[in-house]
Amino acid sequence: MWRDSKEKALGQKAIHGVEDHIYFLNHILPVHFQVDIVLMDELVVGILAYNEREISQLYLHVDHQGVGIGQQLLHKAKAQSSGKLTLYTFEVNKKAQRFYEKHGFTVIGRGHENEENLADLLYEWIAP
């Protein structure tokens, strides 16, 4: 689900193999982030990796986007935050930009280094 969603959002195939991604999701990501998954009928339809300052990953199954799951995950991250969150999204991912801006995030930077070699936008949300 995570790979498919990311590939669709970026318009490019994954750089790493499935085994590398499984290792990342199981052993690297949980060291610094709370990782929550959303299941529907035993199918993973969403993933959120966050801490009190940052959202690292927020991806939804391509068939379950636009139905409120992302909004619920984002509200959870905001509720658990220090009152301020940052996140990066790829500049090519216009759908994510609209989603984050609709939920109070603003662009505060550009050009993050990433292995996909794509331009990034740095977003910030500050609690009202």
Side-chain angles (χ1 to χ4, degrees):
M1 182 284 309
W2 179 64
R3 287 171 58 92
D4 291 343
S5 178
K6 189 172 181 181
E7 286 177 2
K8 184 173 181 180
L10 302 184
Q12 71 181 42
K13 290 287 183 189
I15 295 169
H16 298 285
V18 172
E19 296 80 18
D20 289 339
H21 279 156
I22 290 171
Y23 184 83
F24 172 74
L25 290 170
N26 289 324
H27 299 286
I28 296 174
L29 198 59
V31 172
H32 301 288
F33 300 97
Q34 168 71 33
V35 179
D36 295 345
I37 60 170
V38 177
L39 296 172
M40 287 184 149
D41 300 323
E42 299 183 25
L43 174 71
V44 175
V45 297
I47 183 171
L48 169 68
Y50 64 102
N51 60 32
E52 68 278 353
R53 297 174 317 278
E54 177 184 2
I55 295 174
S56 172
Q57 308 286 319
L58 176 53
Y59 285 95
L60 300 175
H61 188 288
V62 295
D63 294 335
H64 294 274
Q65 294 177 358
V67 297
I69 298 168
Q71 180 176 314
Q72 289 176 354
L73 291 172
L74 191 57
H75 285 313
K76 182 174 187 176
K78 286 178 174 181
Q80 307 266 335
S81 77
S82 63
K84 184 163 118 175
L85 286 170
T86 59
L87 62 86
Y88 284 96
T89 192
F90 295 101
E91 202 169 277
V92 298
N93 193 349
K94 302 297 184 194
K95 194 172 188 177
Q97 291 171 43
R98 286 189 301 273
F99 173 76
Y100 291 122
E101 290 169 11
K102 175 182 173 184
H103 293 284
F105 284 80
T106 57
V107 176
I108 61 167
R110 295 177 181 275
H112 181 67
E113 298 272 332
N114 57 67
E115 59 190 16
E116 290 85 359
N117 202 26
L118 295 172
D120 263 348
L121 297 172
L122 173 59
Y123 276 90
E124 180 181 64
W125 168 82
I126 299 173

